[in-house]
Amino acid sequence: MIIDFIYFQLLIVILLVMLFASMFRILREYERGVVFLLGRFHKVKGPGFIILIPLVQQMVRVDLRIVTMDIPSQDLISKDNVTVRVNAVLYFRVLDPQKAIINVENYLEATSQLAQTTMRSVLGQHELDEILSARDTLNADLQRILDQSTDGWGIKVTAVEIKHVDLDESMIRAIARQAEAERSRRAKVIHATGELEASKQLLEAARMLARQPEAIQLRYLQTLTEISSDNSKIVVFPLPMELGRILQEMGAHSPNVEDPHSPREPT
């Protein structure tokens, strides 16, 4: 009987120690405690040393640090009917621990599901070229929409970054052909622009030479200088184009030159 009484006292002491230990909590600098009094919200406490009334008050810890959440790959159809697979990363933090605990059952799961559906909805409104090239704009749109949707949960979405955009092999080959055609078009445009600029420069040079006929002779001499510097046995001497016309006119007016095509008189 005495032994049972001793065991009973020992059990009471252990329960009192456990109950006394449950009264004290320590919250780190980045943690807050949402305290409930008999099931009703009481206040947000922390950080530091917290005292709770056993069996009357309960506390839920909330981490205020930025959470890095990976958004799983989502299959979506772009505005130009191209099937792509996109995944992203989401950065957010809890601003209001009271709303994060009371207004939503599991704010981590809710934020993840909302990010997946929002990414499919937003990216589906853009064409493939925009998804591949305008990522900064799409990231800003996703961040703004998610931040507005999670404001009632006490969550602040700080950033959304699209990581990978996976395409089918056929679409990759089509994009490669498109890029090759675009490079070919640019090459042709550059070549035509060069020809246009060269023709303008040649026209200007011809006008300058026409104003000073002596300049063409200097050009001939310069050409001879360039030819003579080569180790070649053949010397090409450029003649003025007017020389052929002058010789033709002299031959036409010469009386001693007989036209081979004129008919001969019979003897």
Side-chain angles (χ1 to χ4, degrees), residues 209-222:
L209 292 176
R211 290 195 297 266
Q212 298 291 336
E214 295 82 2
I216 193 65
Q217 300 297 330
L218 297 176
R219 184 59 181 164
Y220 288 157
L221 295 176
Q222 182 181 1

Side-chain angles (χ1 to χ4, degrees), residues 24-147:
F24 306 104
R25 303 289 178 84
I26 297 177
L27 298 178
R28 297 181 178 88
E29 182 66 30
Y30 55 83
E31 291 180 329
R32 297 294 183 272
V34 181
V35 180
F36 294 90
L37 179 63
L38 297 177
R40 297 178 63 88
F41 172 75
H42 178 56
K43 64 170 60 176
V44 177
K45 294 185 177 181
F49 185 73
I50 306 299
I51 299 178
L52 300 176
I53 302 175
L55 304 179
V56 176
Q57 291 182 333
Q58 295 84 31
M59 186 188 71
V60 180
R61 293 175 181 261
V62 180
D63 197 327
L64 301 184
R65 293 177 294 181
I66 293 179
V67 180
T68 303
M69 178 179 292
D70 184 69
I71 303 177
S73 298
Q74 302 295 312
D75 293 326
L76 56 94
I77 299 177
S78 62
K79 188 176 180 180
D80 50 350
N81 297 324
V82 178
T83 303
V84 295
R85 192 175 183 87
V86 183
N87 66 339
V89 60
L90 174 67
Y91 301 90
F92 68 94
R93 61 188 297 263
V94 176
L95 288 183
D96 193 337
Q98 176 184 351
K99 292 181 179 180
I101 297 300
I102 297 177
N103 293 358
V104 62
E105 179 182 2
N106 187 338
Y107 67 89
L108 293 175
E109 181 66 21
T111 304
S112 176
Q113 295 297 325
L114 179 63
Q116 296 177 35
T117 56
T118 302
M119 186 173 67
R120 288 196 299 267
S121 176
V122 172
L123 297 185
Q125 300 175 5
H126 297 271
E127 296 183 355
L128 178 61
D129 292 340
E130 297 177 351
I131 297 176
L132 295 176
S133 60
R135 290 194 179 185
D136 293 339
T137 303
L138 296 177
N139 292 336
D141 292 342
L142 289 172
Q143 187 270 335
R144 176 178 52 81
I145 295 174
L146 288 174
D147 191 31

